[in-house]
């Protein structure tokens, strides 16, 4: 939005310009689309995707004019590659991030580095703050999240890969994740069948 872009420009001017942008804002959801609805999806999309677009719109031209090897790092998610049921808004927003960065990388080749980070599970409060039906917080840490990578470790791994020159950084993908990625692209119908089974199991757990 206009106000968001104006605020970013004010901050950039206040600090004297920027050469590196890291887009890492985001939140998730728990629940099917029919339960959570369009307003939840819209809110997630605003924070996870459109806010980042506004940040870049307000800063990238200035980064180019400074000519100090500008870098944009946008933290997406493995769910921007592997959509999960019960996460339609979140997964959709992360797909948007990955697609946008892929296009922008080609447009700004040789001018601005555009890096996309696609992490697996990281031990943060993402699931605690996830939105459920009616906009309430999920309020608890999922087991997969609790067993995820320490955030500090992830940051160091990402920085190492950025310094190495990688533009697509997949971090903390276990063997199941890697198999699922290959399955989705090589045998999409089988991946879809697995997701249907997963969703049915999740629905059975509901009170």
């Amino acid at each position: 939005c206009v106000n968001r872009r104006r605020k970013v420009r004010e901050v950039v001017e206040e600090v004297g310009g920027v050469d590196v942008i890291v887009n890492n804002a985001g939140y998730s959801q728990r629940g099917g689309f029919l339960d959570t609805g369009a307003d939840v999806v819209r809110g997630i999309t605003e924070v996870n995707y459109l806010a980042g677009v506004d940040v870049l719109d307000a800063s990238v031209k200035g980064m180019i004019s400074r000519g100090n090897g500008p870098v944009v790092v946008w933290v997406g998610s493995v769910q921007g590659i592997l959509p999960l049921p019960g996460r339609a808004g979140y997964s959709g927003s992360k797909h948007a991030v990955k697609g946008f960065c892929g296009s922008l990388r080609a447009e700004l080749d040789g001018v601005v580095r555009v890096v996309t980070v696609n992490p697996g599970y990281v031990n943060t409060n993402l699931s605690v703050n996830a939105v459920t039906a009616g906009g309430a917080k999920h309020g608890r840490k999922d087991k997969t999240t609790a067993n995820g990578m320490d955030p500090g470790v992830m940051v160091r791994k990402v920085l190492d890969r950025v310094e190495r020159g990688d533009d697509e950084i997949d971090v903390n993908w276990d063997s199941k994740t890697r198999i699922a990625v290959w399955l989705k692209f090589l045998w999409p119908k089988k991946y879809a069948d697995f997701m249907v089974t997963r969703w049915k199991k999740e629905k059975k757990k509901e009170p």
Side-chain angles (χ1 to χ4, degrees), residues 29-42:
Q29 73 182 103
R30 294 294 182 273
F33 174 71
L34 296 182
D35 298 318
T36 53
D39 287 342
V40 167
V41 173
R42 186 173 291 107

Side-chain angles (χ1 to χ4, degrees), residues 1-18:
C1 69
V2 175
N3 288 339
R4 196 157 50 203
R5 293 193 292 272
R6 187 183 70 249
K7 288 291 186 182
V8 172
R9 292 189 182 99
E10 289 174 356
V11 171
V12 170
E13 183 177 349
E14 183 178 336
V15 300
V18 295

